[in-house]
Amino acid sequence: MEMRVLVSVDMEGIAGVVHGEEVIPGHSEYERNRKLLTAEANAAVRGVFAYDAAAHVQVTEAHASFRNLLPELLDRRAELLRGTPKPGGMMAGLAENTDAVLFIGYHGKAGTPRSVMAHTISGGTIADVRCNGRSLGEIGLNTALAAHYGAPPVLASGDDTVAAEAAEVAPGIHSVVVKRALGAGAAAMLHPDEACDQIEHAVPEALAGREDVRPLRFDGPVDLEVQVHRPRMTEHALLVPGMELADGRTLRYRAPDFPTAYQVIELIATLGAV
């Protein structure tokens, strides 16, 4: 049976990027950074095929409107999932037959000190996400979703704070540090070509050790709390049956399982921005 690998690709964590403007369409540097993003995705794809030439690889977009990678430059052996809304959001394509997940170009969770462009899901809306009392960023949330389907996250790339966060939520995961964070908008970084080389070379070893990863997992109901930046951002979400207000800026929801909690987080991020 062929190995099935999901590559979830964000943008803030790639080499060469240090400021929010650089990942926004219309900014003078965005088009260049789309190429750098696609190059890092390709490096991960090459690494998968170096490990298993018969693998099935899906690359799923995980930044903003999910239309950042350049399809014509993506490795033709990979299937691309792009556009919004797409089922599963940042983890579209994840299924019970997925063998491993790679996180490329990821950033730290909201509130992480000295972390390049740290935020969770929606920087303008969400201040914190807590599942059964544990604060999680996108790496943690996506790790738990992958674990629910039995797919270990085996590698994360980004700055050094990303590597530390990944190790906390998925002990045994491999990391590629493409830049060392100097603050929210500054970093000492690898040359983009070197970053790609390191990602490509790290993937086979990460896949080989996938059974050693011990990802965070939530079994059974999940007590979800999502703190937003301003009280008005709770109002639309409170129309959802079962949603409660824990305090002026915190929404509470008891989800029957983690995939439901994950969907509710996405919904709150969307409704909070309305």
Side-chain angles (χ1 to χ4, degrees), residues 33 48 60 67-68 71-72 91 141 149-150 174 201 229 239:
N33 292 327
V48 174
T60 188
R67 301 195 314 269
N68 307 284
E72 68 275 19
M91 296 292 282
L141 294 170
Y149 289 97
H174 287 64
H201 294 147
H229 290 297
L239 298 174

Side-chain angles (χ1 to χ4, degrees), residues 175-191:
S175 294
V176 177
V177 176
V178 303
K179 54 192 173 189
R180 179 170 51 85
L182 302 176
M189 60 189 64
L190 299 178
H191 186 282

Side-chain angles (χ1 to χ4, degrees), residues 22 32 34 48 65 80 94 96 127 152 168 188 196-197 201 207 235 240 255 266:
E22 298 177 329
R32 179 201 66 189
R34 295 180 75 188
V48 174
S65 61
L80 174 62
L94 179 66
E96 292 182 355
E168 289 181 0
C196 289
D197 286 348
H201 294 147
L207 290 171
E235 294 174 358
V240 175
E266 291 185 315

Side-chain angles (χ1 to χ4, degrees), residues 55-72:
H56 177 81
V57 182
Q58 290 182 311
V59 174
T60 188
E61 293 233 29
H63 175 69
S65 61
F66 305 151
R67 301 195 314 269
N68 307 284
L69 287 162
L70 295 169
E72 68 275 19

Side-chain angles (χ1 to χ4, degrees), residues 6-269:
L6 182 68
V7 183
S8 178
V9 184
D10 209 343
M11 198 168 191
E12 290 89 348
I14 65 172
V17 168
V18 293
H19 194 277
E21 291 180 349
E22 298 177 329
V23 297
I24 297 174
H27 187 271
S28 60
E29 295 182 62
Y30 173 71
E31 290 302 323
R32 179 201 66 189
N33 292 327
R34 295 180 75 188
K35 295 178 182 178
L36 298 182
L37 177 70
T38 307
E40 290 198 12
N42 281 337
V45 172
R46 290 195 301 272
V48 174
F49 284 111
Y51 179 77
D52 183 350
H56 177 81
V57 182
Q58 290 182 311
V59 174
T60 188
E61 293 233 29
H63 175 69
S65 61
F66 305 151
R67 301 195 314 269
N68 307 284
L69 287 162
L70 295 169
E72 68 275 19
L73 297 184
L74 187 67
D75 191 309
R76 65 189 301 166
R77 296 171 293 181
E79 179 182 32
L80 174 62
L81 287 73
R82 72 191 303 258
T84 186
K86 56 184 168 80
M90 299 176 71
M91 296 292 282
L94 179 66
E96 292 182 355
N97 62 350
T98 303
D99 295 296
V101 176
L102 311 177
F103 300 138
I104 302 299
Y106 268 59
H107 54 79
K109 74 173 182 174
T112 303
R114 190 192 54 82
S115 182
V116 178
M117 290 180 279
H119 64 276
T120 300
I121 309 296
S122 172
T125 303
I126 294 179
D128 192 22
V129 173
R130 295 183 290 274
C131 295
N132 291 349
R134 180 166 182 170
S135 177
L136 296 172
E138 293 171 24
I139 295 172
L141 294 170
N142 292 348
T143 285
L145 188 64
H148 178 86
Y149 289 97
V154 299
L155 182 140
S157 72
D159 69 24
D160 53 319
T161 70
V162 167
E165 185 177 335
E168 289 181 0
V169 297
I173 193 172
H174 287 64
S175 294
V176 177
V177 176
V178 303
K179 54 192 173 189
R180 179 170 51 85
L182 302 176
M189 60 189 64
L190 299 178
H191 186 282
D193 291 345
E194 177 62 22
C196 289
D197 286 348
Q198 291 199 19
I199 290 170
E200 181 177 353
H201 294 147
V203 169
E205 182 179 354
L207 290 171
R210 62 188 180 279
E211 293 185 2
D212 297 327
V213 182
R214 301 177 300 283
L216 173 69
R217 182 186 175 103
F218 294 92
D219 294 315
V222 176
D223 290 320
L224 173 66
E225 290 184 316
V226 179
Q227 184 182 64
V228 296
H229 290 297
R230 290 179 289 280
R232 68 172 181 81
M233 293 178 172
T234 67
E235 294 174 358
H236 286 93
L238 286 170
L239 298 174
V240 175
M243 192 75 70
E244 299 176 351
L245 197 62
D247 59 42
R249 295 190 296 119
T250 304
L251 292 157
R252 180 188 294 138
Y253 186 86
R254 184 166 175 80
D257 52 36
F258 189 79
T260 301
Y262 191 92
Q263 289 181 312
V264 171
I265 296 166
E266 291 185 315
L267 182 63
I268 291 172

